[in-house]
Amino acid sequence: MFNEKVILMLLEGIRDTLYMTLVSTLIGYLVGLPFGILLYVTSEKGLHPNKIIYRVGDFICNVIRSIPFLILLILLIPFTRLIVGKSYGSTATIVPLVICAAPYIARVVESSLNEVDAGVVEAAKSMGASNAQIVFKVLLVEARISLLTGFTITTGLLLGYSAMSGTVGGGGLGDIAVRYGYYRWQTDIMLVTVLLLILIFQIIQNVGTKIATGLDHRKR
Amino acid sequence: MSEIEIRNLTKRFEVENNTVTALRDISLVIEKGDIFGIIGMSGAGKSTLVRTINYLEKPSEGQVFIDGTNLAELTERQLRKKRSEIGMIFQNFNLLEQKNVIDNVCFPLEIAGVKKKEAKKRAKELLKTVNLLEKERAYPSQLSGGQKQRVAIARALATDPKILLCDEATSALDPQTTASILKLLRQINENMGITIVIITHQMSVVTEICKKVAIIDNGRLVEEGLVEKIFEAPGSDAAKELIAGKDMRFSPLQSMDAERKIRIVFRDNSAYEPVISNLILKYQAPVNILKADTRNVGGKAIGEMILGLPEGEDLQKDIIAHLRDSGLLVTEVKEDV
């Protein structure tokens, strides 16, 4: 059963899963982090309140987040094809993953920044700090543990979503599980992919938690 | 020129379609080198007032002048520069939890664009001033409240400010730590010539360290002057209440008591005479000591006492006259203080 071919396929599956998860998390943060900062800054109690910008951002965030990922995956097929050239395979899956992740990340970032003590922000203001300095030297630094925890959770979420994309030919471990477990009734291979997904998830979560605890100077 | 001048300042807040007036028509002058207390009950508006001094809160009406400069006329950038010349410390210290002590002290310098090496050097000097050099690598979570406030003071002084604003800086500290922080503030005032504005609800803080005091009640400035004078003869109800403390707010039961009450203040050498004993011996009548306290006001021992007088209007008049003749300040204490 587990001949060389299957093992090779599983290894490729791991590679593709990690590729999709990590790349979409990183690109997701490139979009979501500034988006989250924007939401924080323009919110009512933010550094530079702006009702219109906040409401538009808030609306976009909610709309995308209210679409189930599987439907988003299908909805975005024309768009994905436009960007990547095809609508199946790991690289193509990154497009809907990023679009799904970005507003989620924005919310996670916004809530992390909201956790920073308003008094500390006020202290920085009293020192003459500009809003940009407050964001980069105070908020992102003080919220870094919470941001890292958010990053870990997001990576875990995208790991799951990348597996979900297997149903429409997304590649990776999820794809293998669907093809062998669902279409061919080869439960053993499906179980192995599930175990591999659990293992990867555990590694991501543990590494994330370790780094966060190690960097935290609040309690020791 | 005065260091800080507040002119006809009014501050309103919009809260859920309601307008709340936090401060009404306040004018105040604080001279260079002063230690100036602003005292009031919580909710009186004093924290808002101190935030208008560095324009963290912009006045709805009126102006704030720092060293002659009207803050309203500054651009955003100039205002930030001005703020860096005004240090501020807070009740909750507001240190950066993820930075160690020395990096916290360096932080305002980093914001001002000072080179790292220079900033560290300056930070070390300041940590020496506040007596915390050995803690430079510690993180705020490893420090006690008093130590945190010392770090905050060092941080506030990093940019060499001319003014230091203290917003309830000792309210989260125990009495001993409060005393040591106040001592440090006085040293800073004397050695560096920094004007210090202290916001507090504790009269003991004002009498301990301030030369002048302003009393804020319900958003208004109700009394202002030398601490000594106000302590001896408070004019406003708010001042009386702050001096007497919460225990002296008479309960309805007590106010049914017809006993006449007076407050006497001992100054200078009158504090050493056995005034009450002499009084009792002379009139052969009992007086009831309801409260007695001695406080250090600007380095002088000032005693205060609340007396319940014996019945008989003539006797009461005589006793008051006698006390006044002995060089004491006597004021009537009304039940509804």
Side-chain angles (χ1 to χ4, degrees):
Chain A
M1 187 68 255
F2 288 101
N3 54 31
E4 215 174 292
K5 225 174 143 190
V6 172
I7 290 174
L8 195 72
M9 179 185 71
L10 285 172
L11 284 176
E12 276 176 4
I14 294 173
R15 185 200 63 197
D16 288 350
T17 293
L18 287 178
Y19 166 71
M20 284 187 289
T21 308
L22 297 179
V23 173
S24 60
T25 308
L26 291 178
I27 300 176
Y29 263 90
L30 282 181
V31 183
L33 184 66
F35 193 6
I37 293 172
L38 184 78
L39 284 176
Y40 173 86
V41 171
T42 57
S43 70
E44 204 176 332
K45 293 208 153 76
L47 295 170
H48 195 97
N50 185 315
K51 266 189 191 154
I52 297 170
I53 295 181
Y54 185 81
R55 279 198 188 147
V56 171
D58 189 56
F59 181 72
I60 293 172
C61 231
N62 288 345
V63 166
I64 299 178
R65 289 207 319 125
S66 56
I67 305 171
F69 178 66
L70 208 54
I71 296 170
L72 193 72
L73 204 62
I74 298 162
L75 266 179
L76 285 173
I77 285 176
F79 180 68
T80 307
R81 203 172 277 146
L82 191 78
I83 289 185
V84 187
K86 55 180 186 177
S87 64
Y88 54 91
S90 325
T91 307
T93 307
I94 288 173
V95 175
L97 277 177
V98 166
I99 288 174
C100 165
Y104 180 83
I105 293 167
R107 280 287 183 231
V108 170
V109 168
E110 186 194 7
S111 90
S112 290
L113 298 184
N114 270 327
E115 279 169 33
V116 176
D117 186 356
V120 176
V121 175
E122 189 182 39
K125 274 189 196 165
S126 80
M127 294 169 201
S130 65
N131 285 348
Q133 283 173 321
I134 291 174
V135 168
F136 291 106
K137 289 179 189 275
V138 179
L139 291 169
L140 292 181
V141 178
E142 286 293 294
R144 66 183 180 196
I145 306 306
S146 172
L147 286 168
L148 246 165
T149 308
F151 184 86
T152 309
I153 294 171
T154 308
T155 312
L157 182 86
L158 290 182
L159 176 71
Y161 281 2
S162 79
M164 215 189 275
S165 72
T167 48
V168 291
L173 291 173
D175 188 32
I176 295 170
V178 170
R179 275 192 286 136
Y180 286 77
Y182 187 69
Y183 293 119
R184 297 195 198 173
W185 295 93
Q186 283 185 306
T187 317
D188 47 356
I189 290 188
M190 188 176 73
L191 276 177
V192 172
T193 59
V194 170
L195 285 176
L196 284 171
L197 281 171
I198 292 173
L199 188 71
I200 294 171
F201 189 91
Q202 286 294 328
I203 292 171
I204 291 170
Q205 189 62 49
N206 284 337
V207 169
T209 310
K210 274 250 161 62
I211 295 175
T213 325
L215 282 175
D216 195 358
H217 293 299
R218 280 172 301 184
K219 36 195 179 256
R220 248 186 214 178
Chain B
M1 197 187 300
S2 57
E3 186 84 89
I4 303 166
E5 189 182 347
I6 294 168
R7 230 181 257 173
N8 305 106
L9 184 142
T10 294
K11 175 72 186 177
R12 283 182 288 265
F13 289 104
E14 299 289 332
V15 186
E16 288 163 15
N17 299 326
N18 275 329
T19 307
V20 177
T21 308
L23 298 168
R24 282 168 215 268
D25 196 28
I26 290 190
S27 295
L28 206 57
V29 174
I30 299 173
E31 300 294 339
K32 252 186 192 99
D34 263 356
I35 301 184
F36 197 101
I38 297 176
I39 187 167
M41 300 291 173
S42 52
K46 54 196 191 301
S47 279
T48 308
L49 181 61
V50 77
R51 278 164 179 70
T52 62
I53 296 177
N54 59 4
Y55 251 49
L56 285 178
E57 294 286 359
K58 292 186 175 137
S60 308
E61 279 165 40
Q63 298 93 38
V64 177
F65 295 85
I66 301 293
D67 216 3
T69 309
N70 182 352
L71 294 186
E73 287 166 5
L74 299 181
T75 63
E76 199 57 38
R77 181 181 288 262
Q78 288 169 323
L79 183 61
R80 288 204 299 268
K81 176 82 178 47
K82 200 83 196 165
R83 276 184 192 146
S84 73
E85 295 164 14
I86 305 173
M88 189 168 186
I89 58 173
F90 306 85
Q91 178 170 8
N92 299 320
F93 324 120
N94 295 345
L95 297 176
L96 296 150
E97 297 282 320
Q98 302 291 1
K99 283 185 192 284
N100 63 19
V101 165
I102 189 135
D103 289 341
N104 260 290
V105 180
C106 285
F107 188 67
L109 296 168
E110 189 186 332
I111 280 176
V114 176
K115 284 202 189 91
K116 218 165 195 165
K117 217 174 150 190
E118 256 173 73
K120 289 248 156 144
K121 206 178 136 218
R122 171 89 182 125
K124 283 198 178 184
E125 281 170 28
L126 287 164
L127 285 176
K128 217 180 203 169
T129 310
V130 301
N131 233 335
L132 266 184
L133 197 52
E134 77 281 2
K135 292 278 185 196
E136 62 172 307
R137 301 251 161 259
Y139 285 89
S141 62
Q142 300 163 313
L143 303 177
S144 68
Q147 288 173 327
K148 283 185 196 171
Q149 198 60 289
R150 282 169 187 273
V151 176
I153 290 170
R155 182 174 74 171
L157 296 177
T159 47
D160 237 331
K162 298 185 197 89
I163 300 169
L164 179 63
L165 307 176
C166 310
D167 182 23
E168 296 276 11
T170 58
S171 300
L173 305 174
D174 61 59
Q176 280 96 334
T177 315
T178 297
S180 79
I181 293 290
L182 293 180
K183 200 175 139 202
L184 176 64
L185 289 175
R186 190 186 291 129
Q187 272 172 19
I188 288 164
N189 168 261
E190 281 166 5
N191 300 341
M192 305 183 188
I194 294 175
T195 310
I196 298 182
V197 181
I198 291 182
I199 298 292
T200 183
H201 65 273
Q202 298 165 301
M203 195 64 191
S204 56
V205 168
V206 170
T207 53
E208 180 80 31
I209 183 174
C210 298
K211 288 175 203 149
K212 285 184 198 154
V213 64
I215 293 160
I216 304 291
D217 187 29
N218 219 345
R220 291 172 204 274
L221 177 72
V222 291
E223 202 167 348
E224 187 203 343
L226 289 171
V227 173
E228 226 180 297
K229 290 273 175 292
I230 290 184
F231 186 80
E232 283 172 4
S236 60
D237 287 349
K240 283 177 195 159
E241 195 168 338
L242 284 161
I243 289 169
K246 279 224 165 69
D247 330 340
M248 287 309 296
R249 292 169 109 169
F250 298 114
S251 67
L253 192 73
Q254 278 170 304
S255 54
M256 279 164 63
D257 187 356
E259 194 177 43
R260 193 164 169 196
K261 298 181 184 81
I262 54 167
R263 174 177 183 265
I264 54 177
V265 175
F266 303 81
R267 290 180 301 189
D268 306 329
N269 46 7
S270 64
Y272 305 105
E273 279 171 34
V275 180
I276 303 297
S277 306
N278 289 346
L279 180 79
I280 295 167
L281 288 173
K282 186 171 174 189
Y283 294 99
Q284 293 294 312
V287 289
N288 196 5
I289 299 175
L290 299 170
K291 186 196 173 197
D293 196 6
T294 311
R295 293 195 222 191
N296 179 351
V297 179
K300 281 181 220 160
I302 291 192
E304 63 163 337
M305 212 178 257
I306 310 274
L307 299 180
L309 297 182
E311 278 176 38
E313 212 165 304
D314 290 342
L315 182 61
Q316 290 174 351
K317 262 188 196 158
D318 287 348
I319 288 175
I320 291 171
H322 171 79
L323 290 170
R324 289 209 167 112
D325 288 345
S326 314
L328 303 181
L329 275 164
V330 183
T331 42
E332 291 259 359
V333 179
K334 291 192 198 85
E335 264 79 9
D336 59 344
V337 166

